[in-house]
């Protein structure tokens, strides 16, 4: 076995058996499963009593039929006096009472409560009342039930036609919704993997340097071999973690709840284009490589392992910025901020998949962003390789800038 | 000639770490590099190991430039100890052996031999981080020569070892020498250098103060250290010809003579033709010579 592969094997076997590595995979599985099965978990653990609502219709119209009871809200239609019903609300027999009356041919509703309603309950009641209000006004026009229904159910069919041939064909809303969901998942995975493996490689190089075992290693292998072995070993660990995660998660989805969530995953994948998946994978892998290079370089600068968290802070900040920009684009993925950060190599991995998945974007933009990312990876690799040779055996105190100055001073 | 360092200088922006250093080491020889902290020992080692480049001068191994040789013939124990904390003793030794180009199957015998020799049998499967400092040091030491290097560099190998382990190490170094390994080592403990080295180089702030055989260095000073046990008072001894200095010990005096030729007349005076318990004329110890050369400060 060559020295390069010996170093890779040593790093890989040591880390892959570490409890923290296995634990982190389990943690990912638990978090992703909790998100996917949230509605089931919520139902099982926090089964709420439906909201008790008394509805008093003071108009002549048949409005009661519009308010159907379900798991969340149970409507009753008492005929007592208003004061009596209000007392029942105060006593807690009802959570709310709705008094509906006519006000100049429009519907007016008053919601009386003793304990304030939650925002969601309030929203749900309001939307039902709005619908009832529209129906009431349509009824005033003396239309037939079918005519009224037609007006209320009317929906404009909107399709997109993109006249720019350079740009990809317009996406449907479903595609965009799937794109946003998948982009968030990709962005989140890139962010968390980048942070995990950045930390791993920085700490690993720093601990070897701090414990001086690096001097022994570098007496028999070239610094460039060591640098490449660290990158390769950690990258293989990242692939192992991603692979294991996908496998375990996939199996869980397939076998729990008759594969209901597996169908959701397949549906989402079907909504996504091959281009999106391809780009997402390439951006994921390249961004991990980019941050590994930075991590190894930062690790080589510190004198002892305790300084590694301070050293990796600048790279962590870049990752966090990317993640926050991604979050900002969850509801409007077309902002200028998103566009700018989708071309910056340290954040493009998190932001560009969102633009590809959730917006109508020309094929040129992702390609350009990818080229910038590849160019940065290559450039940073060459710079880091040359700097690593000099920094890895230089011990100095002070902040990162001071350490870089010292390395330049003692090696030039 | 095996290793030859020719007028090597290592200059940084604002100071010179090694200045015009030259020495040679013959095959199978133990060579000591001694000097205070910051004298340039580790820098010299790093230049030999190609971890740092020389500013001027050349380092040759068997007439070939050191940068062009196969590094597997080298073994190195750095001054500050470092091993992989989460690896077991055994796998650590195999890893370093394989890294130095040996096949795993060829290492079994060596690993077993040295583990037993350094009394680490019960620690074979223990993780390095669970070992005592002394045992960690032994593991790292074995790791530095498990691949049977032609040339072994040991930076402060004795520091932190107890007397029993020091003897183990000393014997191991002599055994390696017998097998033909060329050894270069640095030490603050002059007694070890004195016992082991054939030749040495004395460094002060990057400059060589002496390079050559230990005996030649001692001969430079001559046999000027005289230890006697007598009832004669210090005042009387001080007045004798050729006595530079007197140190009073528990039950003896240590005189420093200007020249060893004065010893005969002092012997005649002290013994007065009768039996005398102790009269010993010696070379200065390396420790004393070192202090004299570098200015009496701590080693």
């Amino acid at each position: 076995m060559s020295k390069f592969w010996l170093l890779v094997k040593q790093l890989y076997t040591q880390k892959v058996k570490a409890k923290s590595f296995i634990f982190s995979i389990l943690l990912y599985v638990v978090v992703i499963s909790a998100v996917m099965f949230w509605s089931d978990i919520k139902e099982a653990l926090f089964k709420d009593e439906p909201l008790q609502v008394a509805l008093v219709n003071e108009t002549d119209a048949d409005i009661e039929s519009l308010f159907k009871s379900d798991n969340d809200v149970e409507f009753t239609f008492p005929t007592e006096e208003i004061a009596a019903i209000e007392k029942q609300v105060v006593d807690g027999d009802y959570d709310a009472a709705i008094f509906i009356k006519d006000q100049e041919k429009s519907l007016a509703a008053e919601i009386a409560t003793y304990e304030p309603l939650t925002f969601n309950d309030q929203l749900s009641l309001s939307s039902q009342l709005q619908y009832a209000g529209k129906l009431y006004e349509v009824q005033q026009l003396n239309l037939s039930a079918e005519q009224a229904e037609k007006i209320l159910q009317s929906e404009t069919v909107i399709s997109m036609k993109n006249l720019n041939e350079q740009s990809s064909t317009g996406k449907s809303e479903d595609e965009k919704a799937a794109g946003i969901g998948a982009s968030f998942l990709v962005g989140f995975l890139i962010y968390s993997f980048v942070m995990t493996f950045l930390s791993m490689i920085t700490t690993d190089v720093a601990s070897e340097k701090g414990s001086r075992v690096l001097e022994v290693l570098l007496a028999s292998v070239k610094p460039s071999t060591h640098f490449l072995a660290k990158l390769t070993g950690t990258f293989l660990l990242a692939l192992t973690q991603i692979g294991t995660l996908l496998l375990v998660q996939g199996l869980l989805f397939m076998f729990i709840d008759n594969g209901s969530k597996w169908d959701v995953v397949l549906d989402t994948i079907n909504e996504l284009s091959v281009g999106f998946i391809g780009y997402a994978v390439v951006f994921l892998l390249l961004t991990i490589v980019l941050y590994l290079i930075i991590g190894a370089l930062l690790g080589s600068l510190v004198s002892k392992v305790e300084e590694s968290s301070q050293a990796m802070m600048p790279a962590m900040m870049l990752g966090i910025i990317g993640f926050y920009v991604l979050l900002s684009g969850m509801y409007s993925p077309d902002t200028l901020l998103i566009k700018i950060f989708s071309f910056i190599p340290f954040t493009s991995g998190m932001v560009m998949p969102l633009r590809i998945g959730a917006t109508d974007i020309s094929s040129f933009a992702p390609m350009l962003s990818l080229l910038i990312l590849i160019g940065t990876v290559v450039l940073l690799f060459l710079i880091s390789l040359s700097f690593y040779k000099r920094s890895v055996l230089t011990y100095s105190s002070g902040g990162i800038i001071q350490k870089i100055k010292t390395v330049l001073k003692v090696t030039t | 000639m095996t290793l030859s360092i020719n007028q090597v200088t290592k200059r940084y922006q604002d100071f010179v770490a090694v200045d015009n250093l030259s020495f040679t080491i013959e095959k199978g020889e133990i060579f000591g590099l001694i000097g205070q902290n910051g004298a340039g020992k580790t820098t010299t080692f790093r230049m030999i190991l190609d971890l740092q480049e020389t500013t001027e001068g050349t380092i040759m191994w068997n007439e070939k430039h050191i940068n062009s040789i196969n590094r597997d013939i080298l073994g190195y124990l750095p001054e500050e100890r470092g091993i992989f904390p989460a690896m077991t003793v055994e796998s650590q030794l195999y890893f370093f052996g394989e890294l130095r180009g040996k096949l795993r199957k060829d290492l079994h015998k060596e690993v077993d031999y040295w583990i037993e020799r350094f009394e680490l049998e019960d620690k074979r499967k223990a993780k390095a981080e669970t070992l005592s400092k002394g045992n960690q040091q032994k593991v790292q030491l074995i790791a530095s020569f498990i691949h049977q290097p032609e040339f072994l560099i040991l930076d402060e190998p004795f520091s932190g070892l107890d007397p029993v382990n020091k003897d183990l190490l000393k014997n191991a170094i002599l055994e390696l020498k017998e097998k033909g390994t060329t050894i270069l080592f640095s030490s603050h403990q002059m007694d070890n250098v004195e016992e082991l080295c054939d030749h040495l180089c004395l460094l002060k702030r990057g400059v060589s103060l002496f390079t050559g055989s230990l005996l030649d260095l001692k001969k430079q000073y001559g046999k000027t250290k005289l230890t006697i046990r007598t009832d004669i008072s210090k005042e009387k001894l001080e007045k004798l010809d050729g006595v530079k200095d007197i140190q009073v010990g528990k039950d003896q005096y240590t005189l420093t003579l200007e020249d060893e030729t004065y010893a005969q007349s002092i012997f005649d005076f002290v013994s007065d033709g009768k039996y005398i318990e102790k009269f010993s004329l010696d070379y200065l110890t390396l420790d004393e010579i070192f202090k004299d050369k570098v200015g009496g400060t701590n080693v």
Side-chain angles (χ1 to χ4, degrees), chain A residues 321-354:
Chain A
I321 290 170
F323 188 64
Y324 274 96
V325 171
L326 169 72
L327 284 183
S328 81
M330 293 311 295
Y331 293 103
S332 55
D334 293 314
T335 60
L336 184 63
L337 186 77
I338 299 281
K339 282 182 184 155
I340 292 170
F341 277 86
S342 68
F343 288 104
I344 297 175
F346 304 100
T347 55
S348 58
M350 285 164 256
V351 182
M352 189 46 103
L354 177 71

Side-chain angles (χ1 to χ4, degrees), chain A residues 152-212:
Chain A
L152 287 171
Q153 298 297 330
S154 71
E155 203 173 290
T156 313
V157 180
I158 302 169
S159 63
M160 301 296 289
K161 184 179 179 187
N162 197 334
L163 298 176
N164 182 354
E165 287 179 4
Q166 295 259 299
S167 158
S168 60
T169 51
K171 295 184 178 70
S172 71
E173 273 189 55
D174 280 352
E175 283 173 334
K176 285 186 180 175
I180 288 189
S183 310
F184 181 72
L185 188 69
V186 168
F188 173 75
L189 284 179
I190 290 182
Y191 171 73
S192 49
F193 283 132
V194 158
M195 293 297 126
T196 309
F197 292 100
L198 170 78
S199 165
M200 185 186 280
I201 198 167
T202 311
T203 316
D204 194 54
V205 174
S207 86
E208 279 188 9
K209 189 181 173 190
S211 73
R212 315 287 162 140

Side-chain angles (χ1 to χ4, degrees), chain B residues 27-30 171-183 196-198:
Chain B
K27 184 172 165 52
E29 185 182 34
I30 302 181
N171 293 332
I173 289 177
L174 290 171
E175 189 180 324
L176 289 169
K177 183 194 170 176
E178 268 173 41
K179 286 180 181 167
T181 310
T182 307
I183 299 165
L196 291 168
C197 288
D198 306 305

Side-chain angles (χ1 to χ4, degrees), chain A residues 318-392:
Chain A
L318 287 173
I320 290 170
I321 290 170
F323 188 64
Y324 274 96
V325 171
L326 169 72
L327 284 183
S328 81
M330 293 311 295
Y331 293 103
S332 55
D334 293 314
T335 60
L336 184 63
L337 186 77
I338 299 281
K339 282 182 184 155
I340 292 170
F341 277 86
S342 68
F343 288 104
I344 297 175
F346 304 100
T347 55
S348 58
M350 285 164 256
V351 182
M352 189 46 103
L354 177 71
R355 284 190 68 196
I356 301 170
T359 65
D360 294 320
I361 186 173
S362 71
S363 55
F364 173 70
M367 192 55 83
L368 178 67
S369 173
L370 194 62
L371 285 177
I372 295 175
L373 180 58
I374 293 171
T376 312
V377 166
V378 172
L379 192 70
L380 207 65
F381 174 74
L382 295 175
I383 295 172
S384 300
L385 194 59
S386 130
F387 198 78
Y388 190 82
K389 287 177 193 167
R390 303 196 275 171
S391 64
V392 87

Side-chain angles (χ1 to χ4, degrees), chain A residues 3 6-7 10 14 208 211-213 215-222 393 395 408-412, chain B residues 12-14 46 49 51 71-72 74 76 78 80-84 86-87 95-96 98-101 140:
Chain A
K3 292 184 182 192
L6 263 173
L7 287 173
Q10 186 268 338
Q14 257 197 315
E208 279 188 9
S211 73
R212 315 287 162 140
V213 75
E215 273 189 60
V216 186
L217 295 176
L218 293 185
S220 60
V221 297
K222 290 196 177 85
L393 288 175
Y395 295 85
L408 294 175
K409 192 174 151 191
V410 300
T411 56
T412 47
Chain B
Y12 296 114
Q13 270 180 7
D14 50 2
R46 283 183 175 180
L49 291 162
L51 297 176
R71 291 180 184 209
D72 292 343
L74 297 169
Y76 176 48
E80 287 180 63
R81 308 289 174 248
I83 36 181
F84 292 106
M87 256 171 134
F95 171 72
F96 281 110
E98 286 185 272
L99 197 66
R100 296 291 197 172
Q140 200 189 356

